[in-house]
Amino acid sequence: MRGWWQEFAGLVLPADCAGCGAVRVLVCAECRDALSGAGEGPVRPSPRPAGLPVVRAAAVYEGAVRSLLLAHKERGALPLAGVLGAALAVAVAGGAGCGGASGPGGAGEVALVPVPSARRQVRARGHDPARRIALAAAGRLRRTGVRARVAPVLGLRRAVADQAGLGARQRRENLAGALAVRRGARAFLPDGTRIVLVDDLVTTGATLAEAARAVRAAGLVTGPGAALRAAVVAAPADSFRRIERVPRV
């Protein structure tokens, strides 16, 4: 009920831009431009956790982008899922090689696997941010001809501490072995499916690395040339710069 009421209120009540405070507009043109994906590219936390797949992000986590993500995640601004999902779709397309329509004879289906939130967080927030954004991203990809869907096959198998305030090593220890693939997941991820782990944000990479471990341990990344990818809406600026400084060989 809480999630339904938040979404209804967001549609019918006047609201200011959650990114910059511009009056009576959900997302102003300038803040929407920050999420356009113009700066989309690969990112890499430092230190890079073992097992982290290639990650692509649509925007830098600062300013309006940070405000929009927090408004959606922590303050229940559910209508923002559309613009955030559009940004995530750009990052997914960049990482999964979704260059165009994928018909029966083309590339396989793209499965967006969202990182799950703890049940207590979902109850407190009234929604699951990563899954909601993933659904919006899949819809955007389908409208461009990409066969995409959300496959929520990951779940928490033990309690974890709140990640806020934890350093990179502490986050890795907190999440080690915490995620698992739900029973029957293979039916949702047939051979040939391109799996992309998705989340709203990457900082240390610990969460995505643990998600990747769980998916690989379940044997879901199979077939010649199969590769696990990840995509997020945003990442810190220095994650982008580290990639750019890697010399070409």
Side-chain angles (χ1 to χ4, degrees):
M1 285 295 292
R2 179 183 174 187
W4 175 87
W5 173 248
Q6 285 173 324
E7 190 147 19
F8 176 76
L11 290 172
V12 302
L13 297 179
D16 296 341
C17 175
C20 67
V23 179
R24 296 181 67 83
V25 59
L26 179 64
V27 183
C28 73
E30 185 174 349
C31 292
R32 191 177 293 273
D33 186 61
L35 283 168
S36 67
E40 185 273 336
V43 295
R44 182 173 55 202
S46 180
R48 181 179 184 271
L52 181 70
V54 173
V55 184
R56 297 186 75 94
V60 174
Y61 186 62
E62 63 185 13
V65 173
R66 180 179 183 276
S67 296
L68 289 164
L69 279 169
L70 289 176
H72 175 262
K73 187 173 190 173
E74 304 296 350
R75 299 198 296 277
L78 304 186
L80 292 176
V83 68
L84 296 173
L88 179 61
V90 175
V92 170
C98 308
S102 51
E109 187 177 52
V110 176
L112 309 188
V113 176
V115 172
S117 296
R119 289 182 181 178
R120 67 179 184 278
Q121 292 176 325
V122 174
R123 288 194 298 268
R125 292 168 176 158
H127 72 124
D128 185 332
R131 183 170 181 174
R132 182 175 287 273
I133 294 173
L135 288 167
R140 175 61 67 98
L141 289 166
R142 287 194 296 271
R143 289 193 290 275
T144 66
V146 177
R147 292 165 52 203
R149 62 186 175 85
V150 175
V153 299
L154 285 174
L156 282 163
R157 64 181 183 182
R158 65 168 176 80
V160 296
D162 191 336
Q163 296 274 81
L166 298 182
R169 181 179 60 80
Q170 292 170 316
R171 289 188 177 206
R172 291 194 299 270
E173 293 172 351
N174 182 43
L175 290 166
L179 296 179
V181 170
R182 294 189 174 102
R183 184 176 302 176
R186 188 171 291 281
F188 295 95
L189 298 168
D191 289 344
T193 300
R194 289 176 287 173
I195 300 174
V196 183
L197 303 172
V198 295
D199 206 351
D200 56 352
L201 173 68
V202 62
T203 51
T204 68
T207 302
L208 287 173
E210 170 58 17
R213 181 208 59 77
V215 168
R216 291 181 180 121
L220 298 181
V221 185
T222 60
L228 185 61
R229 306 288 183 178
V232 296
V233 176
D238 58 356
S239 296
F240 288 92
R241 288 198 295 269
R242 288 192 184 99
I243 289 291
E244 292 170 357
R245 286 201 298 265
V246 174
R248 295 185 179 182
V249 294

